Amino acid sequence: MNIGFIGTGNMGKILIDAFIESKAVRPSKITIMNRTKKRAKEIQQQHKKINVADTAEEVVHASKVIFICVKPLDIHPLLIKLEPLLTKDHCIVSITSPISVEQIERLIPSQAARIIPSITNRALAGVSLFTFGERCTPFYQNYLHELFSSMSKPVAIDQTITRVSSDIVSCGPAFFSFLLQRFIDAAVQETNISEEEATVMASDMIIGMGKLLEKEIFTLPTLQDKVCVKGGITGEGIKVLEAELGEMFVHVFQKTHEKFDEDIELVHNQFDSLIP
């Protein structure tokens, strides 16, 4: 299957690298295009047999599955431009959360899916979030599921939980790396440990913790119970977290949903104003 990428920013490149590294797609089967051609050429230098197109139209001609990896407000004009070239045999895959598959299907005759990836997919790990359009056939659903199974755990989600699912899967690595960095900074500030030593220890700790969960040796609650011995040092630390964490994560979800609602309103206004 020939696949194409319109937009090779951070997430587009992560998907390209992961598909090739996992051997799910041969480089010669991939055609890429970026507004700044230099960016696409850099990817071609890394993956020698990948094809670089000059225009989005060339990507459509060369591909059956086309990943749209551009900013949300750029998607509508892009699809309007490509609509005359798209057929029911094409499958458009959007990786952005504010635009629904229903909105995409209103614009084009093609099949549509929304797949929200995570930076963890670059390590051939983590989750990818799937929502299929009504016209997306079992053939393409199975193909995309198999494709992403090579570098993630595909999870089907309902439209109503798109934002919170993306917060956990896609934003989560940034949120928890921020917390881990603050954890390291505090250790350096309050003790004689060096930043380098603390960073190595904390990084290896989080990797080991992930493996415990991956192998189902512990769940999150049982992991805490095993480490937190009654009357011990860990328990004293947990007391501080319980007292000071408060509603922080509630506020995080409130803020991400607030921004999501703003993005949806912008996108809907754009779609509603240009679609009869």
Side-chain angles (χ1 to χ4, degrees), residues 216-233:
E216 298 183 345
I217 297 172
F218 297 115
T219 63
L220 287 173
T222 59
L223 179 58
Q224 186 181 141
D225 288 341
K226 289 292 183 181
V227 178
C228 189
V229 180
K230 186 177 181 180
I233 291 174

Side-chain angles (χ1 to χ4, degrees), residues 62-266:
S63 315
K64 284 299 183 183
V65 176
I66 302 158
F67 288 87
I68 306 296
C69 306
V70 301
K71 295 177 181 178
L73 291 179
D74 292 335
I75 290 179
H76 185 282
L78 174 64
L79 293 180
I80 289 292
K81 181 175 73 169
L82 296 179
E83 188 272 337
L85 302 176
L86 293 169
T87 72
K88 62 182 179 60
D89 294 324
H90 286 104
C91 184
I92 295 294
V93 182
S94 168
I95 67 168
T96 187
S97 60
I99 297 176
S100 67
V101 286
E102 290 79 13
Q103 287 173 310
I104 294 173
E105 286 186 331
R106 287 167 61 191
L107 285 178
I108 58 175
S110 307
Q111 301 172 52
R114 182 179 61 197
I115 303 177
I116 303 172
S118 166
I119 195 170
T120 56
N121 299 160
R122 182 60 190 88
L124 312 186
V127 170
S128 52
L129 304 172
F130 276 58
T131 307
F132 294 112
E134 288 186 1
R135 294 200 300 265
C136 195
T137 62
F139 172 81
Y140 273 125
Q141 291 185 31
N142 292 334
Y143 174 77
L144 290 170
H145 192 279
E146 183 177 347
L147 182 64
F148 275 80
S149 292
S150 69
M151 37 76 86
S152 69
K153 178 181 179 180
V155 175
I157 60 168
D158 186 78
Q159 174 70 23
T160 58
I161 62 167
T162 296
R163 183 62 258 155
V164 66
S165 300
S166 187
D167 287 342
I168 294 169
V169 168
S170 292
C171 302
F175 294 155
F176 284 93
S177 64
F178 175 84
L179 292 176
L180 192 63
Q181 186 61 57
R182 293 293 295 271
F183 184 58
I184 292 167
D185 293 344
V188 174
Q189 177 182 315
E190 294 298 318
T191 73
N192 292 327
I193 197 169
S194 70
E195 182 175 1
E196 182 180 359
E197 290 172 320
T199 299
V200 170
M201 292 179 190
S203 298
D204 286 345
M205 176 275 296
I206 207 75
I207 292 169
M209 178 180 164
K211 289 182 177 180
L212 287 174
L213 296 173
E214 180 184 33
K215 295 179 180 180
E216 298 183 345
I217 297 172
F218 297 115
T219 63
L220 287 173
T222 59
L223 179 58
Q224 186 181 141
D225 288 341
K226 289 292 183 181
V227 178
C228 189
V229 180
K230 186 177 181 180
I233 291 174
T234 306
E236 293 303 307
I238 292 291
K239 288 179 183 178
V240 175
L241 293 177
E242 288 176 338
E244 299 189 13
L245 191 61
E247 299 294 302
M248 181 185 74
F249 281 115
V250 172
H251 296 157
V252 167
F253 286 119
Q254 288 173 345
K255 185 58 70 174
T256 58
H257 278 66
E258 180 183 314
K259 180 61 169 67
F260 185 57
D261 290 341
E262 293 175 2
D263 290 345
I264 284 180
E265 184 175 0
L266 287 173

